[in-house]
Amino acid sequence: PKTDIVFLKVHKSASSTVMNILFRFGETHNLTFAFPRGGGFQLYYPYHFLARFVQGFSPHSPRRFNILCHHMRFLQPEVQKVVPSSAVYFSILRNPVQLMESSFVYYKGASAFSRVRSLEEFLRQPQRYYDPTRGDRHYARNLMTFDFGFNPDGDVSPERVQLMLSAIEASFDFLLISEYFDESMVLLKEMLCWDLDSVVSFPLNSRDSSTKSSLPDSAVERLKAWNRLDWEIYTYFNRTFWARIERDIGGERLRRELRALRARRAELARSCLQGTGSVGPKDIKDSSLRPLQHGGARILGYNLKQGLEQELERTCRRLVTPELQYSSLLYKKQFPPAHP
């Protein structure tokens, strides 16, 4: 199994669920994480990543960390200073239409969104509300492009787009697609040589459907034009994703692996969870399992069954522990507080 990993955690793309998978694998195998300095939750995002943002990094020591997976704005030469040269690089993408709808609800306080009532209203005259000089502009335009380290207001000429796609392809070993999450997990398992239980998960940081809305076709077309760079990234790597699956796994094995993955997830849900699955924030009984609520989104969580055997309880708890709580727990393990 591969143990040196860089995961670019792209915003609003099922990346918290992937992060939970990496946290569990790292914890099980006693791997080290490149944590943000001081135990924060982002690597000084939205600034481009620098090695010195990582707790315990020193330019004078050759120390490397196994897993880098917290939010960052990608800058490969700096990333290479904190992980081994053998690290596998991957990320996950989401259809820009759904991504922007999610971003609008989640980052409602962002300067570009704060004066409009709806995403449709914003898309009718984006230039009126969007200020490219504001530090939070990226939440409102080409968010994936920004996370990959590029300019979200950049030129959309075919030559520039091709340069950007080539640069991403040169840096990353593979990219997953959040709309095809289970297929992505089969590919992840294949690329990292992991076992099934390592890639099984429950959806984390997902929104209650009452806060989701669909856009009319006219708004969708405007959204694609406004997020043209994201759209180019998504459509190109969606194609390469299926080509990779066809080449490395094949249709027959993919169907077999999907059945196994879904059966195992259903089995764990029956063993671990109260009720039929996720619940609203008010209904989460254990406050340590309550995810951070942000913007206008209602972020769902889980209730564990009571009286589980110790080993199973531990497995179940890890599967449903929200990102911030899990990150803090692993940080304290890796950097135990000094006793007075």
Side-chain angles (χ1 to χ4, degrees):
K2 304 272 196 292
T3 54
D4 299 323
I5 291 160
V6 173
F7 172 55
L8 178 63
K9 187 174 187 290
V10 168
H11 285 76
K12 316 313 308 154
S13 303
S15 56
S16 296
T17 308
V18 178
M19 196 179 196
N20 176 273
I21 287 169
L22 297 174
F23 279 169
R24 284 186 286 129
F25 186 86
E27 186 181 23
T28 307
H29 295 83
N30 288 319
L31 304 178
T32 56
F33 290 88
F35 283 109
R37 263 215 136 98
F41 301 113
Q42 301 196 339
L43 290 154
Y44 291 76
Y45 187 87
Y47 297 102
H48 271 108
F49 176 82
L50 295 175
R52 60 185 171 82
F53 296 164
V54 172
Q55 178 74 38
F57 170 79
S58 153
H60 313 298
S61 106
R63 179 175 188 191
R64 296 283 190 272
F65 300 90
N66 300 115
I67 299 179
L68 174 61
C69 63
H70 287 72
H71 273 308
M72 63 168 160
R73 188 170 182 209
F74 190 67
L75 187 60
Q76 191 161 19
E78 289 291 316
V79 169
Q80 286 168 332
K81 295 176 185 175
V82 299
V83 294
S85 56
S86 59
V88 176
Y89 287 68
F90 78 100
S91 185
I92 187 164
L93 305 174
R94 186 181 185 185
N95 184 314
V97 178
Q98 282 75 45
L99 184 127
M100 193 176 190
E101 188 273 328
S102 178
S103 186
F104 181 80
V105 174
Y106 205 77
Y107 301 110
K108 190 70 187 80
S111 55
F113 294 150
S114 58
R115 307 204 320 276
V116 293
R117 281 189 306 281
S118 67
L119 181 53
E120 260 184 278
E121 189 183 336
F122 173 80
L123 289 167
R124 272 196 288 275
Q125 294 176 289
Q127 300 293 3
R128 185 177 157 192
Y129 306 107
Y130 178 83
D131 177 353
T133 64
R134 293 296 287 263
D136 62 359
R137 76 191 194 284
H138 52 284
Y139 292 123
R141 185 175 205 188
N142 290 317
L143 182 49
M144 292 191 288
T145 302
F146 183 87
D147 286 355
F148 276 96
F150 302 100
N151 176 7
D153 300 304
D155 172 13
V156 296
S157 68
E159 299 75 35
R160 293 290 304 182
V161 166
Q162 194 46 56
L163 277 173
M164 178 177 72
L165 297 176
S166 302
I168 295 173
E169 214 155 24
S171 300
F172 288 83
D173 295 289
F174 58 98
L175 295 181
L176 306 176
I177 303 287
S178 70
E179 281 77 20
Y180 303 102
F181 191 80
D182 289 357
E183 291 83 353
S184 291
M185 291 305 100
V186 172
L187 183 62
L188 184 68
K189 173 175 172 285
E190 179 77 11
M191 301 309 290
L192 299 180
C193 307
W194 287 7
D195 62 8
L196 179 65
D197 270 11
S198 297
V199 300
V200 173
S201 62
F202 297 144
L204 293 176
N205 206 29
S206 55
R207 275 189 300 155
D208 176 0
S209 57
S210 70
T211 61
K212 296 179 185 175
S213 57
S214 56
L215 291 168
D217 291 349
S218 58
V220 167
E221 290 313 310
R222 280 198 292 268
L223 188 154
K224 286 180 190 173
W226 176 247
N227 293 285
R228 176 69 191 282
L229 295 172
D230 270 12
W231 188 250
E232 295 283 356
I233 291 174
Y234 179 76
T235 49
Y236 179 79
F237 287 106
N238 189 11
R239 282 202 301 279
T240 63
F241 171 78
W242 292 107
R244 172 66 64 90
I245 283 200
E246 193 51 52
R247 193 186 78 210
D248 292 350
I249 298 169
E252 188 48 49
R253 186 150 77 87
L254 177 66
R255 287 188 285 280
R256 230 179 20 247
E257 297 263 2
L258 286 172
R259 278 199 298 276
L261 177 71
R262 287 163 183 163
R264 181 65 180 131
R265 184 190 300 131
E267 183 188 347
L268 280 165
R270 284 194 297 273
S271 305
C272 295
L273 304 178
Q274 284 182 30
T276 51
S278 52
V279 295
K282 290 192 188 67
D283 299 316
I284 301 167
K285 299 185 182 87
D286 180 343
S287 60
S288 71
L289 297 178
R290 198 170 289 146
L292 174 76
Q293 302 299 312
H294 201 287
R298 283 181 65 222
I299 306 298
L300 304 172
Y302 298 91
N303 286 317
L304 292 181
K305 282 185 172 164
Q306 300 298 298
L308 295 172
E309 283 175 21
Q310 197 176 352
E311 192 55 36
L312 180 61
E313 209 273 347
R314 185 187 156 79
T315 299
C316 295
R317 181 167 287 276
R318 292 292 187 260
L319 278 162
V320 301
T321 298
E323 176 185 326
L324 304 191
Q325 288 92 312
Y326 207 158
S327 185
S328 298
L329 190 111
L330 293 173
Y331 179 82
K332 290 193 189 95
K333 209 167 156 178
Q334 192 168 310
F335 300 104
H339 291 295

